[in-house]
Amino acid sequence: RLTFPVVWQRRLRGVTVMVKAYLRYEQARAFGVIASPEACPVYADDNGKLVVTAALERLVVWDVRRGVEVRTLVPPPRESGVVPAITKIARASGSTIVAAGAADGSIRLWNLADGTSDVLLKGHKSEVTALRFNKSGSLLVSGGKDTNVVVWDVVAEVGLCRLRGHKDQVTDAVFVETGSESIETKLAAGTSAAGGARLVTTSKDGTLKVWDLDTQHCAQTMAHFTAEVWSVDVAPGGGKLAVGTADERLHLFGVNGGGDGDDEFDAQGDNDEANDGENPTATTTTSTPKTADEASVAKQKQTSAAIESASALLTPLGFVKRADDARVSTLRFDERGTFLGCQTVGRAVEVYRVRDSKEIGKRLRRKAKRRRDKRKQKKDSGGAGERGEHSDSDDGDGDAITAADTIDLAAVVRTKAKTRGFAFAPRTRVKRRSGVKCVLSILTDCNAVEEWEISGADGADDDDETKNAKDLGEPLRTKSLEHAGHRADVRGLVLGPDDITLVTLSHKGVKVWDPEAGSCARSVEGGYGLCALFAPGGRHVVVGTKSGGLEVIDTQAGVQLTGLKDAHAGPVWGIAATPNGAGFVTASADKTVKFFEWTLLDVDDEEEVGAKDATGGDADADANATATPQRNTRRELGVLHTKTLQMAEDVLSVSITPDGKLLSVSLLDNTLKVFFVDSLKFFLSLYGHRLPALCHDVSSDSRLLASGGADKNVRIWGLDFGDCHKSIFAHDDSVTALKFVPKTHYLFSAGKDGRVKYWDADKFEPLLTLNGHHASVWCLGVSARGDFVVSGGHDRAIRVWERTDEPFFVDEEKERRLESLLEDAGGEDDDDDDRVAKAARDSAFARGGVAPAGAEAGMASRKTLETLSAADAIVDALDVARHERTRIEAHVAKKAKAALSMEIDDEGKEDTRKAGAKDTGNKLKKLFKVNDDDENDDDSMASDSELLDHQAVVTPYGENSSYPTGLAPNPLLMGVSPERYALAALATVKPADLERAVLSLPFSSALALLDFLSGWLEKGEKIELTCRLASLIVRLHYQQLGATANARGVMLRIRPLLRDRANSFRDVLGFNLAGLGMWASRVQETVGAAGWKRKKGDDSDDDDDEKDDALLSDDETGVGPG
């Protein structure tokens, strides 16, 4: 591998110059992060064995039982190198699809089965703060800090709509599905992809909104909360909805039309009056409308019924006071809806028990009985009258269900660290443990995931429905994922001499890693480590702590040896080894620089051994047995203080030149001082930093010294005379670490801005910017050969950057950085429709009216660099297709004109020939015959040419029937017709970017695209895409199309074709769905008849495969395999 840069010859402006090429560093792996505190964990399967957590920009799948990492899902790198951190995770129920929302507003869909990701949705301009799938997994809703809510169609990979209405960050969202129609019924009724579902969103503005996805408008707003609304969830049955706020209240709502176990009681209780009226959601269709007017009237009625139903979706049931006063962070029901978890920003997760219909009925009957007894006592005591009449009038209100009747606090899980999220385990996981009622995975703020179990107080089995977990026992922590990462920042790291061992420091000890595999070998408890150094041999490491002590740790045994607890009176900020390896130097905030030597210490281990009596029998302990101490002496590595250099200010870092002659220190007075090592005499004073130099390092040839300070600058000094070669503005924040690459003048610097930069200290140029960390970078480590660099920081991540064989030039890297800045700033500005919608909402709010419909709903996607590139590609393809179509038409017209002139010339020649035939004799008759034959030959040739006109032109890509004879095809079309070329260009655009790309087209290109659509519809090619494009263009350019005369003919041509093709495509889709449904029912009937019941773990995989083949064989039942 190349260690030094390669010199290349490049020709710039006609002059050959020598250009230096460097080798690129790229991130190879990242480890140390178990779970980011921003995203709640989710279970990866229905068995509850695997948990998915967000590790900054990655998704990590963990096996909770074994505590190991199963799979890591890493997003593809970007041009700028900055990959945003994941802020929200959601998993589709019963599926392997996981959605991950990022800090830049993008959403990536992952398939956990194979670890692939092909879908990237961009709809928000800022961080995604809410993410949820619907029950079937076909719809996805996202909310962000930009106050917008976006609904996505996961199957079509497109955005359905953008909902505007909140005035602050959207905190949570959930689908409420009240309809019970099947997919076939909805498809036949012509409903939208939302399928009649309702959407409930919450925001920091203190409101809860109910959205009707069919009409895309806000149907109901709850604004009676007295604090910010942070979370919402609906019970699995759809009958209850819980809302958590920033105060101590937990609100509960009833869902009208939602079905769960309370329906039986509601029919007997306070819903009698509602049952007497009409159900707004129930629609009965006796016959299909035959005319367009009848269909329009029916659709209007259906829309009004949907709006009326959505406007009365939620009914307040009151609130209950929580046990913890901290604000709610996450609210979730379990899989059956029997428990409700409430996680706060403190250290508690409250688990509420949800009563079923029988318990609620019993509770209401007891309350009614108590009220009757109370009225009877008052009546007997003579207290009737107005008070009795008032009590009688309150009977109806007393029968209503309240939040206290529905839920009650069952248990509280309290963790040692602050909680950041939780998830209920699936039902199958809970059934495996006898007596366990629920299992929770709790994410804590200290980079750990804990699993807790809550059992019944009576130890009854969870399947016992009679007890229904009325009393729960104390929560018990069973498992914890905490070994693979530090609990706090990575404040220091050091690489072993052989580069195969990595030691990282944190506030409660050190961890030993394998940097190649990224696995943690062992953990050693200790103090708050700030700096570290390997002893000769690469087995022991000395750690300088914040308390001023020096800890010696055996990395192979994982134990802490005898050190010096009082080596310094202040924090040890720096440590440097002497070139001869005999000792090291430390720098501390106690204004001293101390020299230490390695030594071997004798350590006595005392053990108490009981002495038995001489007879060997069992005697009395006090009489015949005595405990005598036995000393075992062993030798271990230690440190010995030799001398001290007193300084006037706090010492922040220390270094010794590789030649062993000079000692350099950085002080709190913004200067660096250089001393002779042997005599400790003063040599140089380096001043120039405006703030203290936090770090510095010396090159391998002892000629250059580089320092980085809190003034964000890196200064290059010469150690010969102490002159400053260059001062470079390096980072956007303080420079925290700096290391030279061995045997070179290249150096790496790290700062609080989260970046690691690569520099050439000879040319004073920035070579690379390594973006990866999401917080301050505290420490750096460079390998002995310079082939990789390790960095650690405040985000608890340890990243390894490896040197590749790819060369790069400084000028090209500057252009690349500028392009990445353009890419990052591509979609920061608000779109026109966003500004218009915001103005309309503000105007309506100022008037006290209702905002128009267009102000609440808009396009789901947003303008990005990808959408603009897609629009350019579409315009180019349309221009080429139109140009080729014009060429073909011109060639055909030219051939027709030539054929017509040839016929006229032939008629003139015939008249002349007949006139000359009268004056000639037999000789001319013979010639006439010859001419006749020639004429026949011409006719035959003409007929041959006409036949060739209808034959296909042979090209290098095959036959191209769209080009006539004599016209050379355009090689850009790759052997296809112009229409197919334009269609292929549109098909390559991502579905999520198509809407915004078409919006970016000029009207002339949109009109040309509409003309091509008529041809595609006639041939029936890509019906779904063409129908979507036609409706989109008409909706976007409605006014201009109506005012353009050339567009009327195209519109009239498309109108019947569009309806006919859409109806035929819908019929095919409905037929396929019906066939699949029949196939599924036949398979279920066959399996049920065979009495097949799978029991996991009873049989081997081969036996299961044989059973599957026997049950799903192609026999007379007609059920095929699969």
Side-chain angles (χ1 to χ4, degrees):
R1 303 183 69 120
L2 298 176
T3 303
F4 295 95
V6 183
V7 179
W8 297 75
Q9 289 187 357
R10 298 184 65 189
R11 192 170 184 82
L12 300 176
R13 298 179 181 177
V15 180
T16 303
V17 295
M18 307 300 290
V19 180
K20 185 182 289 188
Y22 304 87
L23 295 181
R24 186 180 301 276
Y25 282 82
E26 293 182 352
Q27 180 175 319
R29 67 195 68 89
F31 50 91
V33 179
I34 300 175
S36 302
E38 292 83 9
C40 293
V42 296
Y43 279 88
D45 55 357
D46 294 334
N47 296 325
K49 294 181 179 179
L50 305 178
V51 173
V52 182
T53 62
L56 298 178
E57 75 278 1
R58 301 171 293 123
L59 284 180
V60 184
V61 183
W62 299 91
D63 189 334
V64 183
R65 183 176 60 86
R66 296 185 297 164
V68 297
E69 180 181 332
V70 177
R71 172 175 288 174
T72 301
L73 307 178
V74 182
R78 299 190 178 183
E79 187 70 22
S80 60
V82 180
V83 182
I86 296 174
T87 56
K88 285 294 177 182
I89 310 176
R91 173 179 169 264
S93 178
S95 174
T96 59
I97 302 299
V98 170
D104 65 342
S106 63
I107 302 170
R108 185 175 293 276
L109 300 183
W110 292 91
N111 189 354
L112 297 180
D114 52 6
T116 58
S117 173
D118 299 328
V119 182
L120 181 64
L121 308 174
K122 295 184 178 180
H124 296 278
K125 296 189 289 290
S126 58
E127 177 183 338
V128 177
T129 56
L131 201 63
R132 192 83 68 97
F133 281 95
N134 67 339
K135 188 178 296 184
S136 63
S138 59
L139 295 180
L140 175 69
V141 60
S142 62
K145 283 188 175 180
D146 56 359
T147 72
N148 291 336
V149 178
V150 182
V151 182
W152 306 91
D153 188 347
V154 179
V155 179
E157 301 176 3
V158 297
L160 296 180
C161 60
R162 178 189 302 273
L163 305 176
R164 312 182 186 97
H166 288 292
K167 298 180 181 179
D168 207 336
Q169 169 187 329
V170 179
T171 55
D172 206 352
V174 64
F175 287 98
V176 179
E177 301 178 4
T178 58
S180 59
E181 294 86 357
S182 62
I183 298 178
E184 294 83 357
T185 306
K186 293 177 181 179
L187 188 64
T191 57
S192 63
R198 310 286 189 263
L199 179 64
V200 179
T201 60
T202 58
S203 173
K204 287 179 65 176
D205 58 5
T207 61
L208 179 145
K209 290 182 178 291
V210 179
W211 304 86
D212 184 8
L213 297 184
D214 289 337
T215 58
Q216 297 180 4
H217 84 289
C218 180
Q220 189 177 11
T221 300
M222 297 285 185
H224 64 279
F225 308 101
T226 58
E228 299 174 347
V229 185
W230 280 95
S231 186
V232 63
D233 194 24
V234 64
K240 306 179 187 67
L241 186 135
V243 178
T245 58
D247 56 9
E248 71 281 359
R249 299 179 179 181
L250 181 61
H251 299 264
L252 207 64
F253 292 86
V255 180
N256 297 330
D260 57 0
D262 298 341
D263 292 343
E264 180 181 355
F265 174 76
D266 292 341
Q268 301 175 1
D270 58 335
N271 288 338
D272 294 335
E273 297 180 359
N275 293 334
D276 294 338
E278 295 181 357
N279 188 0
T281 62
T283 57
T284 304
T285 305
T286 57
S287 61
T288 304
K290 298 181 179 180
T291 64
D293 294 337
E294 292 178 355
S296 177
V297 171
K299 187 175 182 180
Q300 290 179 359
K301 290 182 178 180
Q302 185 179 4
T303 303
S304 351
I307 294 174
E308 183 180 356
S309 173
S311 61
L313 182 67
L314 300 181
T315 302
L317 300 180
F319 63 89
V320 295
K321 287 192 175 182
R322 296 184 289 105
D324 196 351
D325 294 337
R327 73 166 176 86
V328 174
S329 178
T330 306
L331 271 179
R332 291 296 179 265
F333 284 93
D334 69 337
E335 190 174 315
R336 289 196 310 171
T338 55
F339 293 102
L340 172 64
C342 176
Q343 176 255 324
T344 65
V345 294
R347 301 182 179 182
V349 177
E350 303 172 0
V351 179
Y352 292 85
R353 185 175 64 90
V354 181
R355 297 187 177 92
D356 56 9
S357 59
K358 294 181 181 179
E359 290 186 74
I360 294 176
K362 248 186 232 183
R363 185 179 178 88
L364 291 181
R365 285 192 290 271
R366 286 197 300 267
K367 289 170 63 177
K369 183 179 178 181
R370 285 196 296 268
R371 285 196 302 272
R372 289 195 301 267
D373 294 343
K374 188 176 181 181
R375 288 197 302 269
K376 185 177 179 182
Q377 291 178 0
K378 289 182 179 180
K379 187 175 181 180
D380 294 341
S381 60
E386 294 182 0
R387 196 177 306 170
E389 293 176 359
H390 180 70
S391 299
D392 293 339
S393 64
D394 292 341
D395 290 345
D397 297 335
D399 294 337
I401 301 177
T402 62
D405 299 329
T406 307
I407 60 174
D408 63 339
L409 183 62
V412 179
V413 180
R414 299 192 181 275
T415 59
K416 294 182 179 180
K418 290 185 177 181
T419 58
R420 286 294 177 262
F422 80 100
F424 279 106
R427 178 65 182 160
T428 54
R429 173 69 184 277
V430 179
K431 282 185 176 180
R432 295 175 186 170
R433 303 294 301 273
S434 176
V436 176
K437 301 302 179 181
C438 64
V439 178
L440 299 90
S441 287
I442 301 177
L443 170 65
T444 61
D445 195 21
C446 62
N447 193 23
V449 177
E450 302 175 355
E451 192 169 79
W452 292 73
E453 290 184 355
I454 302 178
S455 304
D458 50 2
D461 192 5
D462 190 54
D463 292 335
D464 190 1
E465 299 292 343
T466 58
K467 297 180 180 180
N468 197 17
K470 293 183 179 180
D471 297 323
L472 297 182
E474 190 69 20
L476 178 64
R477 192 181 77 166
T478 56
K479 299 176 181 62
S480 178
L481 296 174
E482 57 184 11
H483 178 67
H486 285 286
R487 308 281 75 78
D489 303 13
V490 180
R491 292 306 303 258
L493 60 86
V494 60
L495 281 167
D498 50 3
D499 293 337
I500 62 174
T501 304
L502 173 66
V503 175
T504 58
L505 319 176
S506 187
H507 75 303
K508 285 188 178 180
V510 304
K511 285 184 178 291
V512 183
W513 305 82
D514 180 5
E516 184 67 26
S519 59
C520 180
R522 54 192 61 89
S523 301
V524 183
E525 295 292 334
Y528 198 138
L530 298 176
C531 55
L533 174 70
F534 265 95
R539 174 166 180 167
H540 298 84
V541 63
V542 58
V543 179
T545 63
K546 192 175 183 179
S547 60
L550 293 177
E551 299 176 354
V552 181
I553 296 173
D554 188 344
T555 59
Q556 295 183 6
V559 295
Q560 182 176 342
L561 306 180
T562 303
L564 294 178
K565 294 183 179 180
D566 54 352
H568 285 277
V572 181
W573 292 114
I575 187 169
T578 57
N580 58 7
F584 58 91
V585 184
T586 59
S588 174
D590 60 356
K591 304 178 182 180
T592 60
V593 176
K594 293 187 178 182
F595 291 76
F596 296 88
E597 289 182 354
W598 302 107
T599 184
L600 292 176
L601 301 177
D602 293 332
V603 179
D604 296 335
D605 295 335
E606 294 186 359
E607 296 181 0
E608 292 186 356
V609 180
K612 294 188 178 182
D613 57 339
T615 61
D618 295 334
D620 186 77
D622 296 333
N624 299 328
T626 59
T628 59
Q630 180 178 355
R631 292 187 176 183
N632 295 326
T633 303
R634 58 182 176 85
R635 306 190 74 182
E636 65 180 23
L637 185 67
V639 294
L640 179 64
H641 177 235
T642 58
K643 54 184 176 180
T644 302
L645 175 63
Q646 188 70 34
M647 307 299 298
E649 296 289 341
D650 294 2
V651 187
L652 303 180
S653 62
V654 63
S655 180
I656 298 179
T657 57
D659 57 7
K661 295 181 179 179
L662 300 177
L663 168 71
S664 58
V665 294
S666 63
L667 303 177
L668 196 62
D669 59 357
N670 307 345
T671 64
L672 289 95
K673 296 187 181 300
V674 183
F675 300 86
F676 291 101
V677 174
D678 51 0
S679 62
L680 297 184
K681 289 184 178 181
F682 176 75
F683 175 53
L684 293 172
S685 179
L686 311 178
Y687 56 91
H689 283 284
R690 293 187 297 272
L691 291 174
L694 304 178
C695 55
H696 75 278
D697 194 20
V698 181
S699 61
S700 300
D701 56 1
S702 303
R703 295 177 58 185
L704 295 181
L705 184 146
S707 61
D711 56 358
K712 312 174 187 178
N713 292 336
V714 170
R715 287 181 174 265
I716 311 296
W717 311 84
L719 288 179
D720 295 335
F721 306 100
D723 55 328
C724 180
H725 293 179
K726 188 70 173 179
S727 178
I728 308 170
F729 182 77
H731 291 268
D732 296 334
D733 209 332
S734 301
V735 182
T736 56
L738 191 145
K739 291 288 182 182
F740 272 97
V741 178
K743 300 180 181 180
T744 66
H745 282 180
Y746 308 134
L747 61 93
F748 286 91
S749 66
K752 285 186 178 181
D753 57 356
R755 294 184 177 92
V756 178
K757 293 190 176 183
Y758 185 35
W759 304 85
D760 188 346
D762 290 333
K763 293 190 173 183
F764 317 117
E765 288 182 336
L767 303 180
L768 285 176
T769 299
L770 306 179
N771 295 305
H773 285 277
H774 300 274
S776 302
V777 184
W778 295 122
C779 49
L780 282 176
V782 183
S783 64
R785 295 180 298 173
D787 54 347
F788 69 91
V789 181
V790 185
S791 61
H794 182 69
D795 57 0
R796 301 164 186 168
I798 304 168
R799 300 182 186 271
V800 180
W801 314 86
E802 288 187 352
R803 186 176 59 201
T804 63
D805 295 331
E806 177 189 356
F808 71 94
F809 301 99
V810 177
D811 296 337
E812 295 178 355
E813 192 62 26
K814 289 180 180 178
E815 295 177 0
R816 185 178 179 182
R817 283 196 294 267
L818 293 177
E819 292 177 358
S820 65
L821 292 176
L822 178 63
E823 178 185 356
D824 294 340
E828 292 182 355
D829 296 335
D830 291 340
D831 295 332
D832 293 336
D833 56 343
D834 291 338
R835 287 192 289 267
V836 172
K838 186 177 184 302
R841 291 196 305 271
D842 294 342
S843 176
F845 180 76
R847 297 193 312 266
V850 180
E856 290 187 344
M859 287 188 177
S861 59
R862 63 183 179 92
K863 182 177 65 175
T864 60
L865 192 62
E866 289 83 0
T867 58
L868 298 179
S869 301
D872 293 339
I874 294 173
V875 171
D876 294 341
L878 291 176
D879 291 342
V880 173
R882 282 190 294 177
H883 180 264
E884 291 304 308
R885 180 187 282 182
T886 305
R887 282 185 61 213
I888 294 173
E889 293 175 355
H891 181 75
V892 172
K894 183 178 179 181
K895 288 192 66 176
K897 185 177 181 180
L900 181 60
S901 62
M902 185 180 295
E903 291 179 359
I904 295 175
D905 293 342
D906 290 342
E907 291 178 358
K909 290 180 181 180
E910 183 71 18
D911 295 339
T912 305
R913 183 174 52 80
K914 288 181 180 181
K918 296 180 181 180
D919 299 334
T920 60
N922 296 330
K923 186 177 181 179
L924 291 178
K925 290 182 180 180
K926 295 179 181 180
L927 294 175
F928 178 76
K929 292 180 179 179
V930 175
N931 290 335
D932 191 16
D933 295 337
D934 293 340
E935 184 182 357
N936 293 333
D937 292 339
D938 293 339
D939 294 338
S940 64
M941 291 177 64
S943 62
D944 292 340
S945 63
E946 291 175 1
L947 292 175
L948 288 175
D949 288 342
H950 299 285
Q951 293 180 359
V953 177
V954 180
T955 66
Y957 304 100
E959 295 184 355
N960 195 338
S961 58
S962 61
Y963 281 86
T965 306
L967 181 63
N970 191 339
L972 293 177
L973 270 62
M974 302 292 289
V976 298
S977 64
E979 291 79 7
R980 285 185 177 271
Y981 176 75
L983 183 60
L986 282 166
T988 56
V989 180
K990 293 181 180 180
D993 299 336
L994 185 61
E995 186 177 16
R996 185 63 65 173
V998 173
L999 179 62
S1000 302
L1001 295 178
F1003 178 71
S1004 58
S1005 299
L1007 187 59
L1009 179 58
L1010 200 62
D1011 189 16
F1012 278 103
L1013 284 175
S1014 61
W1016 298 335
L1017 288 172
E1018 289 177 358
K1019 296 181 180 180
E1021 296 188 6
K1022 295 188 180 297
I1023 298 175
E1024 185 177 2
L1025 177 61
T1026 52
C1027 292
R1028 184 184 173 200
L1029 283 172
S1031 61
L1032 185 60
I1033 293 174
V1034 172
R1035 180 161 54 89
L1036 294 176
H1037 304 282
Y1038 179 76
Q1039 295 182 353
Q1040 288 178 300
L1041 289 174
T1044 305
N1046 298 334
R1048 296 180 183 177
V1050 180
M1051 298 287 291
L1052 293 176
R1053 254 192 345 263
I1054 286 180
R1055 181 180 179 182
L1057 290 172
L1058 194 62
R1059 292 187 177 182
D1060 182 63
R1061 294 293 184 266
N1063 288 332
S1064 62
F1065 187 74
R1066 187 183 64 176
D1067 294 340
V1068 171
L1069 183 60
F1071 179 81
N1072 292 337
L1073 287 174
L1076 290 174
M1078 184 188 68
W1079 187 270
S1081 61
R1082 291 293 297 275
V1083 171
Q1084 291 177 359
E1085 291 175 1
T1086 306
V1087 173
W1092 174 48
K1093 295 181 179 179
R1094 185 185 298 269
K1095 295 182 179 180
K1096 296 181 180 180
D1098 294 344
D1099 300 326
S1100 62
D1101 295 339
D1102 296 337
D1103 297 335
D1104 293 340
D1105 294 340
E1106 292 177 1
K1107 289 181 181 180
D1108 295 346
D1109 295 339
L1111 290 171
L1112 301 177
S1113 59
D1114 192 5
D1115 52 6
E1116 65 274 3
T1117 59
V1119 179

